[in-house]
Amino acid sequence: MAEYGLTEGLEGKIWGPGDQIILDAIAELRKLKQEGLIRHIGITGYPLPVLLRLSLLVLHTPPYEPLDVLLNYSHLNLQNSTFAIFLPHFRERARIAQLITASPLNMGLLTPSQPPWHPAPRTLLEASQKTNEALRDGHNGLPKISLGFAYRKAEELGIPTVVGLSKMKEVHETIRIWRELNTEGKEDIAKMRDEEGIALKCLEEFQGYSWASPP
């Protein structure tokens, strides 16, 4: 915790000009909120430790009000679920009412067709490809297994999941998978858990790994 400026008693410390820029931006957003132009103030985009530190900084700076919402992406999925570790701190220490997770497919990493711009290192991209191959002859496949894992974890934590989709076909496919996950019998669920175990084993070396943000 000390490494990231998260030691108790230092929550209100400004560590550099970047912190002041954030506080100034929050102050302006609060004015807009008071004027009724916006409803909620939130934050996203930074690594989890930075998000937590900034959330605490906002709470411990006058007028001592917490952020309304925080969105974190690529940290509650088959390859990296560290958001679950940080979540109690966001709720209890930073007092953020609405937490949201996004990118259950880890920005396309956990799909057969990884985007060419993906910031993950080559070794992780290759490990994901091998995971996809290991599940190719299974009942479900890597995307469905990944979505099932992420949706289940989010439900256990009591938070919503945001999914980015670009085509109507993807919308229908995602809804179909979500419905299957909530209606399938015990035998089908057991098959999914077995394949989930295979995927976790394939990605074991990279569990909890986060690439640089920004890359």
Side-chain angles (χ1 to χ4, degrees), residues 46-66:
Y46 294 99
L48 283 169
V50 178
L51 282 173
L52 179 56
R53 187 179 66 78
L54 292 175
S55 300
L56 291 169
L57 176 61
V58 170
L59 177 61
H60 289 268
T61 300
Y64 306 107
E65 296 175 353

Side-chain angles (χ1 to χ4, degrees), residues 72-93:
N72 181 252
Y73 58 89
S74 288
H75 284 82
L76 194 64
N77 58 68
L78 204 58
Q79 180 263 318
N80 189 336
S81 58
T82 50
F83 191 34
I85 299 173
F86 277 79
L87 188 139
H89 297 281
F90 285 119
R91 278 181 173 159
E92 297 164 17
R93 289 189 66 189

Side-chain angles (χ1 to χ4, degrees), residues 63-173:
Y64 306 107
E65 296 175 353
L67 294 168
D68 300 311
V69 60
L70 179 142
L71 182 146
N72 181 252
Y73 58 89
S74 288
H75 284 82
L76 194 64
N77 58 68
L78 204 58
Q79 180 263 318
N80 189 336
S81 58
T82 50
F83 191 34
I85 299 173
F86 277 79
L87 188 139
H89 297 281
F90 285 119
R91 278 181 173 159
E92 297 164 17
R93 289 189 66 189
R95 292 167 41 196
I96 299 176
Q98 181 63 72
L99 301 172
I100 304 172
T101 180
S103 194
L105 296 178
N106 214 353
M107 297 168 60
L109 174 72
L110 302 172
T111 66
S113 302
Q114 300 164 340
W117 47 260
H118 202 285
R122 178 182 55 81
T123 50
L124 177 51
L125 292 170
E126 291 175 350
S128 181
Q129 291 171 355
K130 291 179 180 178
T131 305
N132 181 65
E133 293 171 3
L135 297 175
R136 183 167 294 168
D137 296 329
H139 180 70
N140 297 287
L142 181 57
K144 183 175 179 179
I145 293 298
S146 300
L147 287 173
F149 177 91
Y151 289 158
R152 187 180 78 251
K153 289 295 183 182
E155 185 175 359
E156 291 172 356
L157 295 171
I159 57 176
T161 301
V162 173
V163 185
L165 306 167
S166 59
K167 301 176 182 177
M168 187 59 67
K169 179 181 178 181
E170 295 176 353
V171 175
H172 291 303
E173 180 69 9

